[in-house]
Amino acid sequence: MDVQIASSWKEKLKEEFEKPYFNDLVAFVKQEYSNSTVYPPGPLIFNAFEHCSFEATKVVILGQDPYHGPGQAHGLSFSVPDGVTSPPSLKNIFKEIRSDLGLEIPPHGNLLRWANQGVLLLNATLTVRAHQAGSHQRKGWEEFTDAVIATLANNRTNLVFILWGAYAQKKGAFIDRTKHFVIQSPHPSPFSADRGFFGSKPFSQANAYLSQHGLTTIEW
């Protein structure tokens, strides 16, 4: 199957695109876009991969679903386009960056600048029906994104995986901690941020690890 994804990823994931579950997923997604309002816009489904090649990836931040409100999702986990108000979890991420690194909270929530530095902003599910959180879960996306994580974890070394919340931590449980640095804390959601996300300092930890291994740090 010819999937419109960045060439570096297309080569690494080509076997995945031929599996029966992926064909079923494509059929489901096409039908959903035809019959319903679905986010992100079709051309942005693989946006995270467009801006962060396999070879350039240094950090993986794992989300769950795309945002399901109008104009919010653009294919990068936790991120929103310019001009869109930052959702609560993203606001808390910026608060932790300010506390951790002393940086000012930016005027927008577009994390494209992270992606362009090697941060793969990966959601477990890459599409969602408008106003219906979780509506595209268990349709095959999770199997695909598991394969993405496994491809990175098995073929690269010294990556940083940032896993916020129980869902992300379960999904990343297989990652070899002797080859990679895994940072775990509660989710930045307002429902859990006070239980250990605030004060966890994931951004300085990630940069310290990258620096220790001779890699360029991220300008968060």
Side-chain angles (χ1 to χ4, degrees):
M1 179 173 291
D2 185 27
V3 177
Q4 299 304 306
I5 193 171
S7 57
S8 69
W9 289 102
K10 195 169 193 173
E11 175 64 24
K12 296 294 181 183
L13 299 170
K14 60 184 179 182
E15 292 182 7
E16 214 62 28
F17 298 138
E18 302 303 325
K19 293 182 178 179
Y21 88 86
F22 196 85
N23 287 298
D24 293 343
L25 171 63
V26 169
F28 167 76
V29 170
K30 284 182 176 178
Q31 184 177 37
E32 284 287 285
Y33 274 92
S34 296
N35 299 334
S36 308
T37 300
V38 176
Y39 301 126
L44 298 181
I45 292 173
F46 295 111
N47 200 26
F49 303 90
E50 289 295 330
H51 292 277
C52 186
S53 70
F54 175 82
E55 294 80 10
T57 299
K58 292 187 283 190
V59 179
V60 180
I61 298 181
L62 187 61
Q64 190 164 355
D65 259 10
Y67 296 122
H68 54 81
Q72 291 182 308
H74 66 142
L76 308 175
S77 64
F78 294 102
S79 179
V80 290
D82 291 336
V84 176
T85 301
S86 295
S89 291
L90 183 54
K91 288 181 179 177
N92 285 339
I93 289 170
F94 288 145
K95 287 178 184 176
E96 179 60 18
I97 290 174
R98 182 175 60 187
S99 170
D100 186 8
L101 300 174
L103 301 175
E104 289 301 311
I105 292 176
H108 60 81
N110 192 337
L111 304 181
L112 194 56
R113 65 188 186 282
W114 294 3
N116 290 332
Q117 295 178 76
V119 181
L120 183 66
L121 295 161
L122 180 67
N123 277 316
T125 303
L126 299 189
T127 55
V128 68
R129 194 181 292 182
H131 309 299
Q132 296 183 39
S135 50
H136 286 186
Q137 291 178 3
R138 295 178 291 281
K139 301 296 183 181
W141 278 131
E142 295 92 339
E143 188 170 346
F144 172 71
T145 51
D146 280 350
V148 171
I149 296 167
T151 299
L152 282 166
N154 295 337
N155 295 287
R156 296 283 310 279
T157 56
N158 301 329
L159 296 176
V160 178
F161 290 88
I162 298 179
L163 309 178
W164 290 324
Y167 181 90
Q169 288 159 23
K170 182 177 180 182
K171 192 172 177 71
F174 69 89
I175 297 166
D176 185 347
R177 268 68 168 171
T178 66
K179 287 176 61 179
H180 306 288
F181 183 40
V182 178
I183 299 171
Q184 299 188 168
S185 80
H187 196 276
S189 159
F191 299 107
S192 54
D194 286 327
R195 296 188 215 139
F197 171 76
F198 288 136
S200 61
K201 301 186 181 301
F203 308 101
S204 60
Q205 286 193 66
N207 277 352
Y209 180 85
L210 293 173
S211 183
Q212 286 165 12
H213 291 85
L215 299 168
T216 308
T217 56
I218 307 298
E219 293 184 15
W220 299 104

